């Protein structure tokens, strides 16, 4: 394989810095796996240059990533981030190489390996399961809108990523990253730590260099939390910017797919490939005139200059180490020309309870619609069937219950007044009385907050050990949120979230890119066995 010498030298420098950074930590058996991958930390731009100058073929790239998945994910550290590898991946690579030889290279993701969270439909040889044994072998009748857009952009779908089963809205005391089909996904920085979720496999796959990009989904925190815990960039778009058709649903009001990458630039490129109006998702009708097919013009190194940003201090005081990182981030942003204004609250008390009520109603409606769309041969035909299956299965309820499924089943339909009232209250409190009020009353461009605390040790008995988070305001409102690395605590990455009003992705990207380019906190994981 003919690699460009300049790029290889950068990789050696990156590996040296990573090893220096981790030199005080326990040694492990997987160190060579972290440093001998020829495409470690490569970007979309790097691959496209290789395709353009003829030094790379798509087949070579895909073969390398498939080998990497086998070595790191299925053996070695056994990260368990990939549920299924696409059996057609090499055939797709060959078809793209043929197009390239004919001068027909097209698409901003041409030849780029991508993992898809396994709650997004693909019409191919891969099942779509939400990690549930109830949907083992379930073959959707057509591609999700996201899968279709990826294929049109020239991406190679490498496989399906593991996730917190049913996107972590199934029951109490769950462990993020665990599914009945895939088992427990591990955090690649320290293998005994949790990857957060529910887009666990998507985040780990990108962080561990098993893929260049991944697609996750979020209802509340499921893109930003795993991105934060695994040291990558995650974009939770405005609801309606990216279609949900073909996505196993939780909430019509809050669900959205979004890109996950190692750099803001790669995430921005991917976002531009996913957007568009989809008649099968009415929410996307509101995106007409609000989406961009190219977000790269908003990536400016001086993007923080002149910005007025609120610092949401609600998560403060729960972890002094996170507070110190956040204070440093604020100082860095101020040094880059931003004005930072501390605020204590965003949305009124009680907003979350309305969100939960809306989610239960919409979960029942959405799941029943999804199951009906799988056709007469579908293994599960209703939410009631799913609940019954879980009760009879030996694995599904081994570690946590299914109380949220049962609560959703008890709800009526979307014509119920209780649902209508909860939805109206949620929208009013999270938007007009929430984010929009904060931004308008202070003449602000965006809001920042720590995305979370360092990853906790995985615990199948007590479940997740969240200390803090900031995803709810943007999630409740259906507004965009970007997280990216802001440093390390005890060798574990911590992210900063940047969120704002509807369709404000361009402004958020300006801020995120400027912060990233002037800090460069991303450092690849080394798969250390245990935390000290």
């Amino acid at each position: 394989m003919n690699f460009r010498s300049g790029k290889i030298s950068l990789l050696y420098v990156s590996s040296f810095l990573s090893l220096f950074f981790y030199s005080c930590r326990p040694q492990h058996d997987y160190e060579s796996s972290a440093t001998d991958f020829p495409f470690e930390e490569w970007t979309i731009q790097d691959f496209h240059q290789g395709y353009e100058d003829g030094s790379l073929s798509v087949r070579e790239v895909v073969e390398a990533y498939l080998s990497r998945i086998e070595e790191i994910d299925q053996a070695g550290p056994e990260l368990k981030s990939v549920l299924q590898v696409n059996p057609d991946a090499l055939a797709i690579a060959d078809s793209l190489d043929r197009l390239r030889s004919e001068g027909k290279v097209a698409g901003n993701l041409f030849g780029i390996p991508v993992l898809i969270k396994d709650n997004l439909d693909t019409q191919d040889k891969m099942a779509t399961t939400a990690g549930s044994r109830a949907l083992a072998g379930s073959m959707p009748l057509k591609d999700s809108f996201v899968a279709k857009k990826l294929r049109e952009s020239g991406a190679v779908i490498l496989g399906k990523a593991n996730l917190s089963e049913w996107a972590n809205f199934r029951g109490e005391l769950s462990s993020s990253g665990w599914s009945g089909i895939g088992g427990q996904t591990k955090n690649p920085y320290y293998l005994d730590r949790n990857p957060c979720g529910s887009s666990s496999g998507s985040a780990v796959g990108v962080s561990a260099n098993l893929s260049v990009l991944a697609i996750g989904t979020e209802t509340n925190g499921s893109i930003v939390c795993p991105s934060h815990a695994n040291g990558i960039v995650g974009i939770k778009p405005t609801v309606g910017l990216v279609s949900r058709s073909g996505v196993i649903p939780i909430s019509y009001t809050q669900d959205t797919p979004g890109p996950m990458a190692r750099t803001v630039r790669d995430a921005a490129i991917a976002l531009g490939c996913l957007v568009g109006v989809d008649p099968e998702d009415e929410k996307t009708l509101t995106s007409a005139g609000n989406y961009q097919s190219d977000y790269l013009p908003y990536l400016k190194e001086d993007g923080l200059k002149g910005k007025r940003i609120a610092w949401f201090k609600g998560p403060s005081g729960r972890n002094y180490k996170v507070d110190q990182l956040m204070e440093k981030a604020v100082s860095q942003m101020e040094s880059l020309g931003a004005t930072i204004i501390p605020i204590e609250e965003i949305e009124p008390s009680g907003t979350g309870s309305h969100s939960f009520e809306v989610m239960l109603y919409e979960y029942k409606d959405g799941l029943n619609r999804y199951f009906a769309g799988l056709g007469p041969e579908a293994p599960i035909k209703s939410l009631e069937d799913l609940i019954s299956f879980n009760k009879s299965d030996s694995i599904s309820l081994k570690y946590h219950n299914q109380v949220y499924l049962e609560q959703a089943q008890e709800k009526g339909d979307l014509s119920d007044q209780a649902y209508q009232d909860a939805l109206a209250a949620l929208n009013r409190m999270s938007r007009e009385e929430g984010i929009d009020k904060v931004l308008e009353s202070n003449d602000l461009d965006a809001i920042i907050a720590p995305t979370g605390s360092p990853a906790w040790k995985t615990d199948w008995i007590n479940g997740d050990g969240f200390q803090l988070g900031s995803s709810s305001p943007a999630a409740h409102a259906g507004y965009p949120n970007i997280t990216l690395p802001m440093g390390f605590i005890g060798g574990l990455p911590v992210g900063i979230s940047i969120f704002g009003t509807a369709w404000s992705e361009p402004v958020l990207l300006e801020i995120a890119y400027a912060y990233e380019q002037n800090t460069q906190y991303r450092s690849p994981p080394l798969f250390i066995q245990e935390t000290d």
Side-chain angles (χ1 to χ4, degrees):
M1 198 177 297
N2 182 20
F3 298 116
R4 288 167 284 138
S5 58
K7 181 63 185 179
I8 290 296
S9 65
L10 288 175
L11 288 175
Y12 286 148
V13 171
S14 173
S15 296
F16 172 78
L17 291 175
S18 296
L19 287 169
F20 177 79
F21 182 81
Y22 289 104
S23 61
C24 61
R25 301 184 188 179
Q27 296 299 305
H28 49 86
D29 296 330
Y30 313 121
E31 190 170 280
S32 62
S33 299
T35 58
D36 63 3
F37 183 55
F39 302 124
E40 186 181 35
E41 301 294 284
W42 275 42
T43 67
I44 293 171
Q45 187 175 16
D46 294 326
F47 286 107
H48 282 176
Q49 184 176 332
Y51 295 146
E52 184 178 346
D53 65 26
S55 63
L56 288 178
S57 70
V58 182
R59 172 173 267 269
E60 288 173 321
V61 170
V62 171
E63 282 180 335
Y65 276 99
L66 291 176
S67 296
R68 174 79 166 175
I69 290 170
E70 183 176 0
E71 177 188 5
I72 301 297
D73 199 70
Q74 300 171 4
E78 198 179 0
L79 297 175
K80 293 189 176 180
S81 67
V82 181
L83 278 180
Q84 310 167 72
V85 169
N86 187 353
D88 294 326
L90 289 176
I92 294 169
D94 289 340
S95 69
L96 292 174
D97 280 330
R98 285 193 294 272
L99 288 174
R100 187 171 60 94
S101 68
E102 298 167 1
K104 298 179 181 177
V105 174
N108 290 336
L109 296 180
F110 180 89
I112 301 301
V114 180
L115 288 170
I116 294 185
K117 185 177 180 180
D118 196 29
N119 61 349
L120 287 96
D121 288 349
T122 55
Q123 188 187 24
D124 48 26
K125 296 173 184 174
M126 294 186 290
T128 301
T129 70
S132 171
R133 289 160 62 87
L135 289 185
S138 177
M139 308 301 289
L141 301 179
K142 62 180 181 179
D143 269 345
S144 60
F145 185 82
V146 166
K148 177 174 174 286
K149 295 288 283 186
L150 288 172
R151 297 189 205 278
E152 290 173 354
S153 298
V156 180
I157 298 176
L158 279 184
K160 295 290 191 73
N162 200 7
L163 67 158
S164 311
E165 187 173 310
W166 294 107
N168 220 10
F169 198 56
R170 198 199 74 177
E172 301 163 312
L173 302 182
S174 64
S175 173
S176 287
W178 182 89
S179 72
I181 286 184
Q184 179 66 56
T185 302
K186 300 175 184 177
N187 188 304
Y189 287 88
Y190 280 104
L191 302 177
D192 62 343
R193 294 277 166 167
N194 195 269
C196 202
S198 64
S199 304
S200 311
S202 298
V204 172
V206 169
S207 184
N209 282 273
L210 305 179
S211 180
V212 180
L213 299 170
I215 306 301
T217 65
E218 176 161 330
T219 307
N220 188 340
S222 286
I223 288 175
V224 296
C225 187
S227 295
H228 134 85
N230 294 281
I232 65 169
V233 177
I235 300 179
K236 197 280 289 190
T238 304
V239 173
L241 189 67
V242 179
S243 172
R244 290 86 51 82
S245 65
V247 178
I248 297 177
I250 293 178
S251 169
Y252 179 77
T253 298
Q254 293 182 203
D255 289 349
T256 180
M260 303 166 79
R262 290 183 292 272
T263 68
V264 172
R265 182 183 179 87
D266 280 3
I269 292 171
L271 180 62
C273 295
L274 299 177
V275 300
V277 173
D278 176 13
E280 295 187 26
D281 182 356
E282 290 186 4
K283 286 278 188 181
T284 65
L285 300 179
T286 60
S287 75
N290 290 309
Y291 68 79
Q292 313 281 332
S293 59
D294 182 6
Y295 287 93
L296 292 183
Y298 303 102
L299 306 187
K300 306 171 184 176
E301 287 196 31
D302 65 349
L304 274 159
K305 189 175 182 179
K307 294 292 192 299
R308 289 177 54 82
I309 302 171
W311 171 15
F312 175 42
K313 302 201 72 176
S316 298
R318 302 178 197 179
N319 185 315
Y320 76 89
K321 298 176 183 179
V322 175
D323 293 346
Q324 289 172 347
L325 278 186
M326 192 65 198
E327 289 163 5
K328 181 179 179 181
V330 167
S331 295
Q332 289 167 325
M333 288 186 172
E334 288 176 330
S335 72
L336 294 168
T339 299
I340 308 296
I341 300 152
I343 60 170
E344 299 296 329
E345 295 181 351
I346 295 178
E347 56 186 18
S349 176
T351 308
S353 62
H354 294 302
S355 170
F356 186 71
E357 185 78 353
V358 167
M359 287 167 64
L360 290 175
Y361 271 97
E362 293 182 346
Y363 202 24
K364 178 181 182 180
D365 178 77
L367 282 180
N368 283 332
R369 288 176 184 270
Y370 179 81
F371 294 142
L374 292 175
E377 303 302 318
I380 298 293
K381 294 180 171 56
S382 67
L383 175 56
E384 186 176 11
D385 285 353
L386 172 60
I387 292 170
S388 296
F389 174 91
N390 288 339
K391 288 178 179 178
S392 65
D393 186 69
S394 62
I395 299 297
S396 294
L397 301 182
K398 186 175 182 180
Y399 298 115
H400 64 291
N401 62 26
Q402 57 177 341
V403 64
Y404 302 145
L405 295 178
E406 293 166 347
Q407 289 176 350
Q409 176 62 21
E410 293 172 0
K411 296 297 182 183
D413 60 33
L414 301 188
S415 66
D416 279 8
Q417 191 62 47
Y419 166 72
Q420 297 291 336
D421 291 345
L423 179 61
L426 170 63
N427 288 337
R428 183 187 73 253
M429 295 168 73
S430 64
R431 299 173 186 174
E432 301 100 276
E433 299 174 8
I435 289 178
D436 291 335
K437 181 179 179 180
V438 168
L439 295 176
E440 291 168 6
S441 62
N442 294 283
D443 189 26
L444 299 170
D445 295 291
I447 303 168
I448 57 172
T451 308
S453 54
W456 56 90
K457 289 191 177 184
T458 294
D459 184 346
W460 296 338
I461 304 300
N462 297 307
D464 289 334
F466 292 101
Q467 277 189 341
L468 62 92
S470 60
S471 64
S472 288
H476 293 160
Y479 287 173
N481 191 355
I482 300 177
T483 185
L484 70 157
M486 72 167 176
F488 286 81
I489 296 175
L492 291 163
V494 175
I496 184 171
S497 284
I498 308 164
F499 49 100
T501 192
W503 321 116
S504 63
E505 283 83 357
V507 173
L508 304 186
L509 284 167
E510 284 186 352
I511 295 169
Y513 185 76
Y515 178 74
E516 175 196 54
Q517 293 301 299
N518 286 279
T519 57
Q520 297 290 341
Y521 283 120
R522 163 68 187 173
S523 183
L526 294 181
F527 318 115
I528 296 170
Q529 285 276 32
E530 294 181 357
T531 318
D532 285 342

